[in-house]
């Protein structure tokens, strides 16, 4: 049975508990506000990032077209993780318990895909180039044809107009390269001899490798019927392409045998 | 007198024959405005990279002439223009970085100190020139690499002509164009022509060092009168009609045809051959719209402009009516010249392969065509003279450069006028019979001082 003396105490306790709830509520609200801010800058989970990137790529498929592959849809979580580990795109931000990606991640991901697929840069060249190029520079140069789509996706996801702030914040202080300079850097990269891993340095193509007679394979028939390029599948995702037109010193049969010899040697190297 | 850009389509025979397969040759003319009577307006500001080959083969007179030509270019520039000078043998050096031409003496002192060296890293030299030019890729400037070489590239990227030409084309898309100057008979004309053509600049060839200056004058005449860059022609024939480009133009990725840059008084042109079957033809008395043409270009301020599209519409006539329609001699002349350019390219290839029998056959074919073009007639006479000497290097260069000039260079838009005088036209619009020699500029008697020669002072 309640007495009149207990009432104030209980009321006090309740008020005290309510205050704690209130502080806790305010604290949670403040935490959420901070998280929302982060979520605004980094609005995408990895799956969402992939979906957005594929939408942007499909808005200009020719820009990202791979000379030898038809499909543009080969992004997946594993690949994104690989790009993060190999530092082609920055590490994601932690928002709550999840890894989130922002504009700079999307821009760098698209830049990697573009340079790798349609412009056929090597991965080390891409890494070196991205290290000295800011998000804003990538948007205004390399990705300028799809800049509007990228900005629209980011605005829609973040629900804010703070992109320009973020771009400024992400800007790395490097001398700006105009499109011509970017192109020249690429040409320079193309001319310089690429470093050969020591294990591969011993692997020289000699005339003797192609001299051994081999029966004509379906690969060569396909090459004859379609183009001068011979595709030699080594491993899933790894083809060696030999352009027979450029190897005028070799007969088609020798090109074919060269392909077979390369395949054997590369598989041996992989098996070691 | 016209103050606007124009586009016209004219058929060689402006009619279609009812019920028959038809072949229609069409001349497309893209015309720049007339040069103002008060003189040319202030020329666009220039951003030039002068790239000089200083390999061992250039030692002596060739290098002296190259330095003289480079100094002439510097003297011709204004203080608001920008320039850089690059020299290359097996190594590449920037002897004057990209800067305003305020102190000409600084440039000329650097040029004067250049001496001959070793091998020829042509691609490296070009790339460095492009890099210098690209450092100040400013709006309102015309950026161009002027590449001079007398030899075969034998250091750096050496054998992949298509790859280097492709790089020139890509760089031209960003605003840095390339003109090439071949000197003597030892240089790789295939590479130099391909670089100039893809790089949207001009290709020049000089048999002797003393004619080199004239080529630079010509380039400068063109740059001074420039009014439209990156001129692209889009052709849309009616479905079912085959449209064949007769000129040696390159198709861009978007299917447009890349025409030469335009100067005042100039015209870029294209000859196309339309083939249409009898099935799609309307009855006699009606007319048919065969081809739509439109042109886009970039003006000197960098703005994309468009010339209003034009249609070629021809009446369908009965056989009797068709025979009465006169053939347009001007169109036939240009079509002949476009086809003759292809023949000259084939002759150059045959000469390179040492197949002089084939060269003679091609020249005979060209001679038959030459009845429609007095200019072609003179060129054929000159080529026959060279073919008789069986000098494959010289012949292949003459034939290849002649083909490029005949097919892909802009012409004076007054060329068909009865009172047109070749000598009255701007220098870059004058037609040349001999590509590697002759010319009024840069020729002087021994001991005579050339007022343009900065080293003779």
């Amino acid at each position: 049975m309640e007495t009149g003396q207990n009432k104030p105490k209980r009321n006090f306790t309740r008020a005290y508990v309510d205050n704690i709830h209130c502080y806790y509520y305010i604290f949670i609200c403040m935490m959420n506000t901070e998280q929302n801010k982060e979520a605004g800058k980094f609005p995408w989970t990895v799956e969402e990032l992939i979906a957005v990137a594929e939408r942007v790529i499909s808005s200009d498929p020719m820009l990202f077209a791979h000379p030898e592959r038809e499909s543009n849809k080969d992004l997946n979580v594993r690949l994104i993780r690989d790009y993060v580990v190999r530092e082609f795109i920055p590490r994601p931000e932690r928002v709550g318990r999840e890894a989130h990606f922002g504009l700079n991640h999307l821009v760098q991901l698209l830049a990697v895909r573009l340079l790798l697929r349609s412009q056929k840069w090597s991965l080390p060249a891409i890494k070196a180039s991205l290290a000295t190029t800011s998000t804003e520079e990538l948007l205004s140069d390399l990705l300028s044809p799809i800049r509007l789509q990228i900005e629209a996706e980011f605005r829609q996801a973040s629900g804010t107009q703070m992109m320009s702030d973020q771009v400024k914040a992400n800007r790395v202080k490097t001398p700006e390269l105009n499109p011509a300079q970017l192109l020249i850097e690429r040409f320079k990269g193309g001319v310089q001899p690429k470093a050969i891993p020591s294990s591969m340095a011993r692997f020289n193509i000699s005339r003797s490798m192609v001299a051994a007679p081999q029966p004509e394979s379906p690969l060569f028939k396909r090459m004859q019927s379609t183009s001068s390029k011979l595709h030699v599948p080594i491993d899933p995702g790894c083809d060696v392409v030999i352009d027979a037109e450029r190897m005028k010193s070799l007969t088609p049969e020798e090109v074919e045998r060269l392909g077979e010899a390369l395949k054997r040697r590369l598989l041996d190297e992989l098996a070691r | 007198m016209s103050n606007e850009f124009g586009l016209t389509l004219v058929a060689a025979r402006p009619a279609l024959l009812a019920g028959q397969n038809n072949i229609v040759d069409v001349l497309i003319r893209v015309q720049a405005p007339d040069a103002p009577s008060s003189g040319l307006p202030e020329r666009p500001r220039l951003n030039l990279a002068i790239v000089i080959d200083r390999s061992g083969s250039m030692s002596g007179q060739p290098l002296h002439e190259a330095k003289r030509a480079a100094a002439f270019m510097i003297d011709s520039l204004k203080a608001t223009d920008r320039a850089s000078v690059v020299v290359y043998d097996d190594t590449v050096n920037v002897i004057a970085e990209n800067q305003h031409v305020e102190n000409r003496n600084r440039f000329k002192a650097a040029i004067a100190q250049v001496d001959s060296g070793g091998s020829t890293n042509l691609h490296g030299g070009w790339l460095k020139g492009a890099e210098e030019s690209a450092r100040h890729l400013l709006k309102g400037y015309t950026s161009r690499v002027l590449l001079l070489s007398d030899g075969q590239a034998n250091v750096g990227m050496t054998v992949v002509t298509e790859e280097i030409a492709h790089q020139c084309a890509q760089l031209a898309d960003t605003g840095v164009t390339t003109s090439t100057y071949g000197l003597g008979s030892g240089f790789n004309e295939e590479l130099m022509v391909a670089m100039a053509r893809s790089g949207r600049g001009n290709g020049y060839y000089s048999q002797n060092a003393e004619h080199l200056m004239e080529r630079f004058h010509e380039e400068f005449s063109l740059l001074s009168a420039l009014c439209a860059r990156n001129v692209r022609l889009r052709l849309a024939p009616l479905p079912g009609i085959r449209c064949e480009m007769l000129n040696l133009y390159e198709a861009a990725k978007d299917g447009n045809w890349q025409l030469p840059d335009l100067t005042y008084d100039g015209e870029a042109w294209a000859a196309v051959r339309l083939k249409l079957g009898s099935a799609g033809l309307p009855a006699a008395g009606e007319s048919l719209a065969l081809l739509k043409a439109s042109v886009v270009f970039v003006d000197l301020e960098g703005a994309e402009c468009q010339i209003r599209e034009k249609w070629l519409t021809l009446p369908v006539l009965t056989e009797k009516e068709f025979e009465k329609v006169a053939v347009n001699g001007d169109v036939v002349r240009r079509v002949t010249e476009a086809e003759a350019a292809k023949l000259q390219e084939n002759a150059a290839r045959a000469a390179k392969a040492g197949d002089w029998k084939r060269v003679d056959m091609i020249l005979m074919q060209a001679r038959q065509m030459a009845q429609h073009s007095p200019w072609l007639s003179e060129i054929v006479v000159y080529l026959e003279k060279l073919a008789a000497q069986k000098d494959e290097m010289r012949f292949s260069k003459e034939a290849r450069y002649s083909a490029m000039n005949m097919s892909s260079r802009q012409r004076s838009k007054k060329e068909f006028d009865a009172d047109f005088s070749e000598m009255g036209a701007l220098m870059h619009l004058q037609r040349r019979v001999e590509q590697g020699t002759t010319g009024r500029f840069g020729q002087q008697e021994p001991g005579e001082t050339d007022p343009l020669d900065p080293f003779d002072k």
Side-chain angles (χ1 to χ4, degrees):
Chain A
M1 190 175 171
E2 283 184 1
T3 62
Q5 282 177 333
N6 285 340
K7 269 186 184 172
K9 192 180 176 185
R10 194 174 60 200
N11 283 345
F12 173 76
T13 309
R14 187 183 177 96
Y16 179 71
V17 170
D18 279 352
N19 276 347
I20 289 176
H21 275 153
C22 185
Y23 290 137
Y24 182 65
Y25 178 69
I26 291 167
F27 176 68
I28 294 293
C29 284
M30 283 170 67
M31 285 290 290
N32 282 344
T33 308
E34 285 306 308
Q35 284 193 4
N36 284 341
K37 272 188 194 167
E38 288 302 297
K41 285 182 187 174
F42 305 100
W44 298 302
T45 62
V46 65
E47 290 83 0
E48 286 165 347
L49 178 75
I50 291 168
V52 169
E54 285 186 339
R55 270 203 300 278
V56 174
I57 288 170
S58 62
S59 70
D60 193 346
M62 289 308 292
L63 185 68
F64 291 84
H66 190 287
E68 276 106 29
R69 286 188 208 161
E70 283 180 10
S71 173
N72 270 327
K73 294 197 170 182
D74 51 9
L75 289 175
N76 54 54
V77 176
R78 205 172 146 192
L79 185 67
I80 303 293
R81 198 173 294 145
D82 186 46
Y83 282 173
V84 171
V85 170
R86 293 161 78 174
E87 297 176 350
F88 287 106
I89 58 178
R91 295 190 73 77
E93 294 297 320
R94 196 174 165 153
V95 178
R97 295 174 65 109
E98 280 185 313
H100 271 236
F101 297 82
L103 179 69
N104 54 344
H105 298 96
L106 176 64
V107 166
Q108 296 215 15
L109 172 62
L110 291 170
V112 172
R113 300 305 290 166
L114 198 155
L115 294 172
L116 195 63
R117 291 178 66 89
S118 68
Q119 304 202 12
K120 288 184 146 185
W121 281 35
S122 67
L123 286 171
I126 294 173
K127 195 169 175 180
S129 174
L130 290 184
T132 55
T133 313
S134 70
T135 305
E136 173 59 25
E137 285 163 357
L138 288 173
L139 278 171
S140 52
D141 293 328
L142 187 68
L143 301 174
S144 59
I146 47 168
R147 180 177 187 146
L148 289 178
Q149 285 91 332
I150 296 170
E151 288 178 341
E153 287 285 355
F154 182 72
R155 265 200 302 274
Q156 198 183 345
S158 65
T160 64
Q161 297 290 327
M162 59 187 179
M163 182 168 54
S164 59
D165 293 338
Q166 194 193 345
V167 165
K168 279 175 195 163
N170 289 337
R171 186 175 292 181
V172 181
K173 295 291 175 201
T174 53
E176 267 189 34
L177 293 183
N178 61 39
Q181 287 173 309
L182 279 173
L183 204 57
I184 290 164
E185 289 305 313
R186 207 187 100 198
F187 295 160
K188 281 185 189 168
V191 178
Q192 282 161 3
K194 288 176 186 167
I196 304 169
S198 58
S199 59
M200 297 293 284
R202 291 175 281 110
F203 182 27
N204 296 319
I205 300 165
S206 66
R207 195 81 186 172
S208 62
M209 280 175 64
V210 297
Q214 291 280 335
E216 200 173 84
S217 79
L219 263 179
F220 183 62
K221 283 179 187 158
R222 199 173 73 218
M223 179 187 96
Q224 279 183 316
S225 63
T226 53
S227 74
S228 63
K229 287 181 180 168
L230 174 67
H231 288 251
V232 184
I234 305 295
D235 211 32
C238 173
D239 282 9
V240 170
V241 182
I242 305 173
D243 192 346
E245 247 179 26
R246 293 194 174 199
M247 305 196 70
K248 288 180 179 150
S249 59
L250 300 184
T251 64
E253 289 76 17
E254 286 174 330
V255 171
E256 158 75 355
R257 287 200 289 276
L258 172 66
E260 293 294 336
L262 275 169
K263 185 174 181 173
R264 277 200 304 277
R265 289 296 298 268
L266 284 170
L267 287 175
D268 286 347
E269 289 289 335
L270 282 172
R272 277 183 198 179
Chain B
M1 174 117 181
S2 165
N3 295 321
E4 290 183 355
F5 288 91
L7 172 64
T8 55
L9 281 76
V10 190
R13 188 173 233 173
L16 296 169
L17 181 57
Q20 300 287 325
N21 294 341
N22 281 269
I23 296 177
V24 185
D25 288 339
V26 184
L27 172 62
I28 300 160
R29 303 171 76 185
V30 184
Q31 296 179 319
D34 290 345
S37 51
S38 54
L40 289 173
E42 194 175 348
R43 69 161 170 76
R45 280 175 292 179
L46 300 174
N47 174 26
L48 301 181
I50 303 167
V51 182
I52 303 170
D53 181 352
R54 65 176 202 101
S55 58
S57 55
M58 285 286 287
S59 63
Q61 177 79 347
L63 188 61
H64 173 74
E65 289 298 327
K67 286 158 66 177
R68 207 164 71 96
F72 159 74
M73 285 308 267
I74 295 297
D75 268 339
S76 308
L77 296 177
K78 295 180 195 163
T80 50
D81 294 322
R82 302 192 72 97
S84 57
V85 183
V86 174
V87 293
Y88 68 93
D89 52 351
D90 40 346
T91 57
V92 180
N93 295 309
V94 181
I95 59 167
E97 288 194 346
N98 188 314
Q99 57 193 287
H100 282 296
V101 190
E102 283 160 344
N103 187 348
R104 290 190 175 83
N105 288 336
R106 192 186 299 165
F107 279 96
K108 287 198 275 184
I111 292 168
Q113 284 175 1
V114 175
D115 54 4
S116 57
S119 309
T120 309
N121 183 359
L122 185 141
H123 179 261
W126 169 77
L127 201 58
K128 184 52 89 177
E131 195 179 353
E132 281 299 310
S133 206
R135 277 175 57 197
H136 295 279
L137 199 59
L138 304 170
K139 212 174 174 182
Y141 277 78
T142 299
S143 298
R144 182 161 291 183
V145 180
L146 309 178
L147 173 72
L148 186 142
S149 177
D150 79 328
Q152 304 275 340
N154 49 25
V155 175
M157 193 184 269
T158 53
V159 288
V160 206
T161 298
E162 302 88 9
E163 178 62 30
I164 298 177
H166 185 57
Q167 290 187 2
C168 290
Q170 284 181 292
L171 201 68
D173 282 339
T174 66
V176 182
T177 53
T178 301
S179 283
T180 59
Y181 298 76
L183 180 59
S185 54
F187 70 93
N188 181 349
E189 73 275 11
E190 195 182 340
L191 175 63
M192 296 292 259
V193 166
M195 286 179 80
R197 194 178 279 166
S198 301
R200 287 191 222 137
N202 305 291
Y204 303 97
Y205 145 59
S206 182
Q207 182 62 37
N208 301 307
E210 56 264 33
H211 297 130
L212 192 62
M213 184 67 93
E214 187 188 333
R215 310 297 182 259
F216 276 85
H217 276 279
E218 201 172 317
E219 175 92 31
F220 203 78
S221 160
L222 188 148
L223 289 172
S224 300
L226 203 61
C227 60
R229 290 178 296 195
N230 198 5
V231 184
R232 285 147 291 154
L233 169 70
R234 176 177 283 273
L235 297 173
L238 199 72
I241 296 179
R242 274 188 57 201
C243 177
E244 182 193 351
M245 172 61 71
L246 300 179
N247 296 61
L248 299 169
Y249 290 135
E250 290 185 356
K253 276 180 281 182
D254 53 8
N256 293 344
W257 295 97
Q258 190 74 47
L259 303 188
D261 290 352
L262 276 172
T263 62
Y264 289 99
D265 277 345
E267 81 170 29
W269 63 283
V272 295
R273 180 159 290 159
L274 304 177
K275 292 180 181 170
L276 58 161
S278 57
L281 275 185
E286 294 186 33
S287 59
L288 185 66
L290 302 172
L291 176 71
K292 185 174 79 171
S294 58
V295 170
V296 286
F297 64 89
V298 176
D299 72 9
L300 296 183
E301 296 304 316
E304 188 103 340
C305 305
Q306 190 161 12
I307 302 178
R308 212 170 150 191
E309 65 188 34
K310 288 280 168 64
W311 278 91
L312 175 74
T313 305
L314 297 180
V316 182
L317 305 177
T318 60
E319 198 170 347
K320 229 176 190 178
E321 292 167 327
F322 185 79
E323 277 169 7
K324 286 182 195 161
V325 177
V327 173
N328 185 322
D330 296 337
V331 179
V332 172
R333 195 197 307 171
R334 287 281 174 91
V335 168
T336 303
E337 286 168 2
E339 289 188 314
K342 285 182 183 168
L343 283 182
Q344 289 175 75
E345 280 228 325
N346 289 342
R349 271 190 220 109
K352 264 263 157 103
D355 189 350
W356 291 103
K357 218 176 212 175
R358 184 162 159 69
V359 171
D360 290 341
M361 276 171 61
I362 293 171
L363 288 180
M364 199 183 288
Q365 213 177 329
R367 175 171 276 286
Q368 284 164 4
M369 292 165 76
Q371 57 179 313
H372 300 293
S373 165
W375 180 37
L376 175 61
S377 177
E378 282 189 38
I379 289 174
V380 171
V381 169
Y382 184 62
L383 289 178
E384 281 174 341
K385 217 186 287 176
L386 290 181
Q389 294 168 8
K390 299 216 172 357
D391 181 347
E392 64 179 55
M393 301 288 268
R394 179 126 183 239
F395 180 90
S396 63
K397 282 174 180 58
E398 273 294 328
R400 201 175 281 275
Y401 275 89
S402 175
M404 184 175 73
N405 281 340
M406 187 167 272
S407 171
S408 329
R409 249 181 82 176
Q410 64 167 337
R411 303 278 184 86
S412 168
K413 65 178 187 176
K414 293 166 187 157
E415 193 181 296
F416 295 143
D417 294 354
D419 59 347
F420 172 67
S421 149
E422 197 80 31
M423 294 303 163
L426 292 168
M427 190 179 179
H428 62 275
L429 296 176
Q430 293 171 10
R431 288 170 290 182
R432 195 185 284 279
V433 173
E434 298 172 20
Q435 308 303 317
T437 56
T438 66
R440 298 179 306 279
F441 291 92
Q443 288 186 330
Q444 54 180 316
E445 293 300 316
E448 193 178 323
T449 306
D450 183 349
L452 290 166
D453 188 345
F455 294 123
D456 280 355
K457 286 172 186 168

